[in-house]
Amino acid sequence: MKKILVANRGEIAVRIMTTAKKMGIKTVAVYSTVDRNAPHVRMADEAVCIGEAPSNQSYLLGDKILEVAKSLNVDGIHPGYGFLSENSNFALACNAAGITFIGPDTHAIEVMGNKLAAKETVKDYNIPMVPGLDEAITDVAKAKQVAKEIGFPILIKAAAGGGGKGMRIVEKEEEFESQMQRAISEATNAFGDGSVFIEKYIGSPRHIEIQVLADKHGNVVHLFERECSIQRRHQKVIEEAPSAVLTPEVRKAMGEAAIKVAKSCDYVGAGTVEFLIDEHLNFYFLEMNTRLQVEHPVSELITGLDLVEMQIKVARGEKLPFTQEDLEIKGHAMELRIYAEDPLNDFLPSVGNLEIYQLPTGEGIRVDNGIEEGMDVPIYYDPMLAKLITYGQTREEAIEIMIEAIKAYKVKGISTTLPFGKFVMEHNAFREGHFDTNFVKKYYNADLIKEEYKDEAEIAAYLALQMYLEDQKQLRLPN
Ligand code: ADP
């Protein structure tokens, strides 16, 4: 593989190109008109504008991207995450055109892209699953009956779901139909598929997922777990590896279950098997994501592997250079997603110009970044600007480095999740490892950090005044 086209933008496009360059592989960027000056465009050896800002006129145009790839003699396409990464037709078209899709084959993408098809596929592999009705609701009376048997609250979920969309909690029987209708309409709007099903609502779950890696020769290993329970709107904001609560036995059992899930769909490449864990460390299969995950860096840091490099090698047909026994966890890694959102105002999107944007540096700090000072944050795409990742020998050390790195991360012009990250890192429940997916609901209160940032704003204003007065003095000197 001599030339790779990255069918993505932002931090992940930069991340993929970094590894391609390290491996001596040429890179091609595609971009929309608003991204013409973006870091991923400048970093690539060649770059082609593929359309207007809205992603359905640019980053989602598989045919157009494939045309670019053919015309530039590209031999591999890396889809990153989001956009075309889980589009089986695109994967098929790439391979049919003789260009390697760096990811699993279409069968795995198709079955795992649908939560119901995924449950059906792993059924014979003895994988623990959340109790529920593992088929799309067609008969409301029957679904209600199942819900009653499982016991409320239950969760109605979209089969085609992703990004926490199309999910509704039903507290009691009377709400069943109205919540079901909402889930259906949300799923139809977001995914063009209104199929929904029922799962037991696990009250205090942790979201723990296993990274798997498989080659084309039948070898599958797991790279341990990532804890992803700190979420808002059912979407992850903070991830870490390893989890603070898994025992070696549960880790082993989850790893083995994840490998079975990968084998059930003949998986090839890097993938993630997601589980929910209850307070007794019972785990239940949620779904499999057939791509590189946003939070892959924490697994890289604790295993010393470069997952993009592994993806490329596997796509080239190489065998995994290690076995499960060769792998071990070293140290601890934390990740904070830097979203252009206002944590003081219900995590609403924050748009504007990055007047100041300076990244922290230092030992144990990694920033996977896709934007620069002076740029506008485009409204058209996912609002994640970067990921701040820290690594320490212990969990405490990774947390301490994260707090220092957050303080050194300078952003002016828009709001970000940085203050939220600091709040979590300093919170006792988080530090002690006693938390679940309800952390934000249970402990987070914007007023608590408003006070702190009010003080900081006052200090900043005071310092600015001092500086102004100093400047005035200097200016007057010549007189
Ligand atoms: P999506 O594909 O939309 O991300 P997932 O099935 O991966 O949906 O679930 C996303 C999040 O929703 C989980 O991390 C968890 O917080 C919550 N969730 C999903 N299923 C359940 C369940 N049965 N009980 C409680 N929470 C759930």
Side-chain angles (χ1 to χ4, degrees), residues 115 155 157 162-164 199-200 202 207 231 274 276 287:
K115 295 186 205 292
L155 196 61
K157 287 172 93 166
E199 256 179 24
K200 179 170 180 55
I202 314 256
H207 174 122
Q231 309 179 344
E274 299 190 331
L276 283 186
E287 62 166 348

Side-chain angles (χ1 to χ4, degrees), residues 332-343:
H332 201 102
M334 279 285 158
E335 175 178 285
L336 167 65
R337 299 187 186 193
I338 316 291
Y339 280 107
E341 286 179 0
D342 188 357

Side-chain angles (χ1 to χ4, degrees), residues 10-12 14-16 18 81 292-298 300-301 308 335-338 357 359-360 365-371 384-389 409:
E11 68 87 21
I12 196 62
V14 171
R15 159 76 194 88
I16 294 162
T18 305
Y81 52 70
L292 189 67
Q293 294 277 94
V294 173
E295 59 273 21
H296 75 278
V298 291
E300 295 188 316
L301 292 180
V308 175
E335 175 178 285
L336 167 65
R337 299 187 186 193
I338 316 291
Y357 190 66
L359 306 180
I365 299 176
R366 162 174 164 180
V367 187
D368 283 13
N369 177 49
I371 198 156
M384 198 185 77
L385 306 178
K387 300 173 318 209
L388 173 57
I389 309 126
Y409 206 128

